[in-house]
Amino acid sequence: MAEHPYDDIWIEAPESGASVRRNVPMFFGAAPGDPQLGTNLLSALGDDLLHAASSIAPAHTLSARIDILGDRRITVSVAQPHRWTASDSPTLGPSGSLLGNEWWSLSALAALSAAVTVELWCDGRGFRQHCSGLRPLGAVQDFLPPDGSGTRVSLTLDPACIGADVAIPTELAGLNLHGPFCTAPPGPGRLLIRDHRQGPAARDIRYR
């Protein structure tokens, strides 16, 4: 399991995101405006997807995808097993948000985003919510979901939070997605990062 760069201060973060915005270097190892921040954001996200919390799945077992749609726009899709039944619904997080704190990186990135869309689905039922940062902009809505069970989060990072010149990197091969604290054995999971900024010739990087 990878070691995450936060401690008790994280308790406040899911409530408003204020802790993340005040302490970006603590969460991501670089300050707003630092050119390294974009790389660190993507590395932290990939690390978290490959090393999910034990309450979600064992490390190296989930399949996930990051679609880079622009310099500050990404969509994250995870084949995440949800546990609600046909008669119940997802448990809402702080402030009535579909996005709780089980994925620390997604919650932290949402706190740094101007626009966020969260989608969860399981057993033919889909739930969608639009947010500004971690704050819901309205009630949870139903949508027609894909097959299976999963989570999808679309984020537009806010330049006021990360710096006007910070962007998701175009060089993907050197991302640090395992770090020194990963002791889990190889597994069936994989992470695909697809950069759509190159048009039809989108570049794919696969990690196992």
Side-chain angles (χ1 to χ4, degrees):
M1 183 71 179
E3 181 174 286
H4 299 312
Y6 58 86
D7 51 24
D8 291 344
I9 200 168
W10 176 248
I11 294 171
E12 181 190 348
E15 184 63 32
S16 66
S19 292
V20 181
R21 292 190 292 272
R22 285 197 305 264
N23 299 280
V24 173
M26 186 190 74
F27 284 89
F28 294 109
D34 186 332
Q36 183 64 30
L37 180 57
T39 297
N40 290 9
L41 294 173
L42 193 58
S43 292
L45 175 58
D47 183 343
D48 199 24
L49 294 170
L50 288 169
H51 310 94
S54 58
S55 59
I56 299 175
H60 303 169
T61 62
L62 291 179
S63 292
R65 172 171 169 161
I66 301 172
D67 286 280
I68 303 172
L69 305 175
D71 286 344
R72 298 188 189 91
R73 292 176 54 229
I74 61 173
T75 294
V76 181
S77 306
V78 191
Q80 179 180 353
H82 293 295
R83 296 179 175 85
W84 68 80
T85 66
S87 62
D88 86 58
S89 301
T91 300
L92 298 181
S95 303
S97 172
L98 270 178
L99 184 60
N101 62 357
E102 60 180 358
W103 292 105
W104 81 266
S105 61
L106 284 174
S107 293
L109 284 170
L112 301 177
S113 296
V116 180
T117 298
V118 184
E119 295 174 324
L120 309 178
W121 63 90
C122 179
D123 293 331
R125 303 178 69 208
F127 302 89
R128 174 185 290 140
Q129 188 178 56
H130 300 290
C131 303
S132 177
L134 289 168
R135 294 291 185 182
L137 295 176
V140 175
Q141 302 171 335
D142 294 337
F143 81 102
L144 184 62
D147 293 336
S149 178
T151 295
R152 182 164 55 221
V153 181
S154 298
L155 307 113
T156 301
L157 294 165
D158 188 347
C161 294
I162 65 171
D165 297 325
V166 172
I168 300 298
T170 55
E171 178 52 54
L172 304 177
L175 295 177
N176 179 14
L177 302 181
H178 287 280
F181 303 103
C182 177
T183 59
R190 69 171 189 172
L191 170 63
L192 168 65
I193 302 179
R194 170 168 279 190
D195 191 344
H196 296 263
R197 289 172 292 185
Q198 300 179 24
R203 183 182 180 192
D204 290 353
I205 303 290
R206 296 173 186 268
Y207 296 89
R208 289 186 179 273

